[in-house]
Amino acid sequence: DFTKRIIVQGPVRCAIRLTAKNIVPASPELTLGMLCLIYAEHQETEIRLTATGADGELVVAPGIVKLPREETFADVAAGCFGTWGWQEDAIGRIGMGLIVAPDAVVDVRTEPAERRIRCRTDGGRLRYWLIGDWRRGRPYPIAPAKSDWQREVQSLARLLLDEVRLEPVPRAVLQ
């Protein structure tokens, strides 16, 4: 049982809530909720996953589809995974990436049609980002290769995974 609801729609951001119920026959009480956020002028989509009704530790596995001709990378220490390759003639070369906190990663699995990054949830929660790029969407003569895409995803991972720290502003600065 899948439902979706638009929470916010443009122009600065879009937020969608997806809910999946009764997805594991052995655990019909398990419900997954995903809040998907994307901001104007950004390529990445933030996913905030919440699970309720799970018995014990829950492992979820976001993934990236395999491309017919691709090069992949997995930098577990940086929390980023990706692929750069040929999708189809009408599209050309694309890049896809997934960013998740390194301490959440259990392992990387290769399935027949996709790669899955298995992640443990923290109290039924997991936060990760999906990112995509398209070579034809870049200004000419930019022609990135896998190594360029990997550097971009790693750089974005450093920014996204660096937790924002809030500190009080001294009164003198406020006056």
Side-chain angles (χ1 to χ4, degrees):
D1 180 23
F2 291 87
T3 59
K4 68 176 188 239
R5 189 180 75 173
I6 297 172
I7 310 279
V8 175
Q9 188 171 1
V12 175
R13 74 172 177 221
C14 182
I16 298 170
R17 179 170 307 285
L18 304 169
T19 304
K21 296 179 180 179
N22 200 21
I23 54 174
V24 178
S27 299
E29 66 285 347
L30 176 64
T31 299
L32 293 181
M34 293 184 355
L35 178 63
C36 308
L37 302 156
I38 190 162
Y39 294 87
E41 307 298 323
H42 285 254
Q43 291 176 280
E44 72 276 3
T45 299
E46 179 183 356
I47 310 292
R48 297 178 188 176
L49 181 134
T50 56
T52 57
D55 290 331
E57 184 181 48
L58 179 67
V59 174
V60 296
I64 300 173
V65 299
K66 287 184 178 178
L67 298 172
R69 296 184 307 239
E70 67 178 3
E71 295 178 82
T72 64
F73 59 90
D75 186 342
V76 177
C80 61
F81 310 84
T83 186
W84 183 260
W86 191 263
Q87 186 176 24
E88 59 182 61
D89 291 343
I91 304 294
R93 294 200 175 279
I94 66 167
M96 294 178 287
L98 189 143
I99 297 169
V100 64
D103 59 343
V105 177
V106 174
D107 60 21
V108 178
R109 300 269 173 104
T110 300
E111 304 292 338
E114 61 195 3
R115 284 178 188 76
R116 295 230 168 239
I117 293 74
R118 292 183 353 113
C119 302
R120 57 183 79 71
T121 59
D122 181 9
R125 298 183 180 278
L126 179 67
R127 184 177 178 206
Y128 62 96
W129 292 263
L130 299 172
I131 181 170
D133 200 358
W134 181 40
R135 179 177 174 185
R136 292 182 185 166
R138 291 178 174 231
Y140 183 79
I142 303 294
K146 191 256 327 185
S147 59
D148 302 311
W149 178 240
Q150 182 174 353
R151 275 193 305 276
E152 289 178 30
V153 175
Q154 286 171 324
S155 176
L156 182 60
R158 281 191 297 276
L159 290 173
L160 294 174
L161 295 173
D162 185 19
E163 199 61 43
V164 175
R165 289 178 271 302
L166 301 176
E167 297 176 8
V169 177
R171 281 186 171 268
V173 173
L174 294 173
Q175 297 174 352

